[in-house]
């Protein structure tokens, strides 16, 4: 499949780069872009080479959510079933980012609005350009935050701030987002791509099978009781302990050499 609305590559360094590429529409999602992103994520999941995914956007925006030009309802026309669009596209997208057995880095290069503000929250490490911002724009057009927003926001920033963001739809600066714990780190615009790639390459050389298990454990932690989480840690440690990377890590430590991890 050739891609028209995204840029996608998997490098020899193990970094899969997926960049949303509809800059004139601030990388908002139409059906074609959804299908391309879905295909790219499938390729990442099945790739032998991909060890980390880096998600970003081309142009001055990261993603403005749903392409509203696709959703303009003419007077008298039948009202669309937005639930179907969520079921068909947004929910599978968010699930696949969250469940991808690789670390997912999101580099928010500009404004992130609507579903575009919530996709980064489903990723594992979010960097944002200083000029970027996050807008829960849904309330301004009579909609409900989707793409996991109502679940992720309160867990990340607490209920008071989540409600303010979702009910007011005001622009949250990248710096404020970092201070609130919504994202990992703000960097200067000029260095965002390099910083994110540097982080991705660093992670790609780490024991990424183990990193995927860490991600699984942390993703479940707010839903489990303490005892359940201890049991999950036991199960995941059992898997980690059987990996080649664990053997390599211990052997390299004992022999005072640099480990070479394979992600399995
Ligand atoms: C756009 C969009 C856009 C099309 C900017 N669509 N063209 C799920 C399921 C099903 C249905 C509904 O929704 C959902 C989930 C959602 O995501 S709902 C929320 C949808 N998104 C929004 O409501 C955000 C709409 N955009 C904005 O509020 C502004 O564009 C922001 C605040 C993102 C950026 O503002 P500015 O920096 O002032 O840029 P701009 O507004 O001038 O936009 C630049 C261009 O991008 C412009 O086109 P033009 O031809 O005039 O240059 C916009 O029309 C276009 N654009 N967002 N979502």
């Amino acid at each position: 499949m050739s891609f028209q609305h995204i840029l996608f590559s998997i490098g020899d360094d193990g970094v899969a780069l997926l960049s949303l590429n509809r800059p004139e529409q601030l990388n908002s999602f139409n059906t074609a872009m959804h299908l391309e992103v879905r295909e790219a994520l499938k390729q990442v999941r099945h790739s032998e080479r991909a060890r980390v995914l880096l998600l970003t956007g081309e142009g001055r925006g990261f993603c403005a959510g749903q392409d509203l030009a696709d959703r303009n309802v003419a007077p008298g026309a039948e009202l669309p079933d937005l639930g179907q669009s969520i079921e068909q596209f947004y929910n599978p997208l968010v699930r696949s980012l969250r469940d991808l057995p690789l670390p997912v880095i999101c580099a928010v290069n500009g404004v992130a609005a609507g579903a575009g503000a919530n996709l980064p929250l489903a990723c594992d490490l979010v960097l944002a350009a200083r000029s970027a911002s996050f807008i829960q724009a849904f309330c301004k057009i009579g909609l409900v935050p989707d793409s996991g927003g109502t679940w992720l926001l309160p867990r990340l920033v607490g209920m008071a701030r989540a409600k303010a963001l979702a009910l007011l739809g005001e622009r949250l600066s990248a710096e404020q987002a970092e201070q609130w714990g919504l994202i990992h780190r703000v960097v200067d615009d000029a260095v965002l791509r390099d910083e994110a790639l540097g982080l991705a390459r660093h992670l790609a050389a780490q024991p990424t099978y183990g990193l995927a298990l860490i991600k699984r454990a942390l993703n479940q932690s707010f839903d489990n009781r303490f005892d359940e989480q201890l049991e999950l840690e036991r199960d995941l440690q059992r898997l980690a302990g059987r990996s080649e990377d664990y053997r390599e890590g211990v052997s390299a430590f004992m022999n005072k050499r640099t480990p070479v991890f394979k992600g399995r």
Side-chain angles (χ1 to χ4, degrees), residues 24-26 28 60 64-69 71 82 85-86 90 111 113-116 135 137-138 141 143 146 171:
E24 275 83 49
Q25 293 80 24
L26 299 181
S28 54
R60 74 174 178 89
Q66 170 65 38
D67 185 329
L68 294 174
R71 290 279 175 261
L82 296 191
S85 163
I86 300 285
Y90 290 92
V111 66
I135 310 174
F138 309 88
I141 53 171
L143 294 184
D146 58 30
R171 191 183 286 264

